[in-house]
Amino acid sequence: MPSFCFHNSSVVAVGTFNIYVLQPENLLRMNAIRSKKKVLVMGDLSAPGIRFADEGMNWVVRPDRVSIETTNRDVNCGERLARVAENLSWTPIVALGMNVAFRGEPSAGASGALKLQQIEDAVQCSCHAGFEFQGGILNVQLSRTVEYQELSLNAHFDISVGRTDPDALSKTVVKRCDEFLSIRKEMLDFASKLTNIEINNAEHITK
């Protein structure tokens, strides 16, 4: 059974956000971040927003989304986003995405139902499948380059479907985000059976 290592994970909320409210000093009051440091204002005028880092997490705040990413498998990105949704319950969040990626050596081929085809002279290849998952969609993708092979998982939830009350939307987002680590584990368990890939506890490869 091929062995892969953790590479990164993230959570993304899609909706309408006030980037002037979601500043580090306000997020600190919400207990969404623990310190104010490494704040970098983005210079792309076509996509206004800010970037900053806090305790192994990289935040990107834009008018249409908030994302938190980490390369530490023990860091809970979802819990931090839950605090934002909890404190800004009037903020319309319409969708939530949870992502995790694992990498292995390029020769570490999957042998389950989802696997890459061997194509002569191909320097990159990928395969993808989507499945119903906890009321949303779980996308499973395998890809390979000359440097590594990657298993990428994305769980997408349409939060606004069947819900119009802002308070109900907020509570749904908070619940999902607080369950980030357990949902991520269920995503991995599903994908491991599908691809016959084993995830080990070693440090992630740096390629």
Side-chain angles (χ1 to χ4, degrees), residues 54-179:
D54 173 66
E55 294 187 330
M57 284 169 279
N58 296 312
W59 289 66
V60 177
V61 178
R62 288 182 171 168
D64 64 338
R65 68 190 56 224
V66 174
S67 66
I68 309 171
E69 181 181 272
T70 183
T71 55
N72 185 331
R73 64 178 178 272
D74 298 321
V75 169
N76 188 344
C77 297
E79 186 271 334
R80 301 302 183 91
L81 189 56
R83 303 291 74 78
V84 173
E86 195 172 54
N87 283 272
L88 302 177
S89 58
W90 61 88
T91 298
I93 297 176
V94 298
L96 196 62
M98 297 182 179
N99 309 286
V100 60
F102 304 89
R103 287 186 178 181
E105 298 300 327
S107 59
S111 59
L114 186 68
K115 57 187 175 183
L116 293 168
Q117 299 297 317
Q118 298 295 330
I119 302 174
E120 188 176 357
D121 297 329
V123 294
Q124 294 185 7
C125 59
S126 65
C127 58
H128 164 266
F131 304 88
E132 291 185 357
F133 178 78
Q134 294 193 12
I137 298 293
L138 175 59
N139 295 291
V140 182
Q141 178 171 306
L142 272 172
S143 58
R144 182 174 60 230
T145 70
V146 294
E147 295 182 317
Y148 57 81
Q149 190 169 174
E150 183 170 277
L151 171 64
S152 302
L153 311 178
N154 160 259
H156 176 83
F157 304 103
D158 278 325
I159 302 299
S160 61
V161 174
R163 304 180 185 90
T164 56
D165 178 54
D167 189 55
L169 288 168
S170 174
K171 288 179 179 178
T172 300
V173 173
V174 171
K175 184 176 185 299
R176 288 283 191 187
C177 289
D178 275 332
E179 295 172 346

Side-chain angles (χ1 to χ4, degrees), residues 21-22 26-33 83-84 87-88:
V21 171
L22 293 176
N26 291 328
L27 293 171
L28 188 63
R29 296 189 191 100
M30 299 175 195
N31 202 32
I33 66 172
R83 303 291 74 78
V84 173
N87 283 272
L88 302 177

Side-chain angles (χ1 to χ4, degrees), residues 4-68:
F4 282 40
C5 298
F6 178 88
H7 183 64
N8 61 31
S9 67
S10 65
V11 61
V12 182
V14 179
T16 304
F17 300 93
N18 187 332
I19 63 173
Y20 300 104
V21 171
L22 293 176
Q23 297 287 323
E25 57 268 22
N26 291 328
L27 293 171
L28 188 63
R29 296 189 191 100
M30 299 175 195
N31 202 32
I33 66 172
R34 308 294 191 252
S35 62
K36 293 190 300 180
K37 59 183 180 180
K38 297 183 180 178
V39 177
L40 172 66
V41 178
M42 296 169 59
D44 184 359
L45 297 179
S46 65
I50 60 169
R51 298 178 188 267
F52 54 90
D54 173 66
E55 294 187 330
M57 284 169 279
N58 296 312
W59 289 66
V60 177
V61 178
R62 288 182 171 168
D64 64 338
R65 68 190 56 224
V66 174
S67 66
I68 309 171

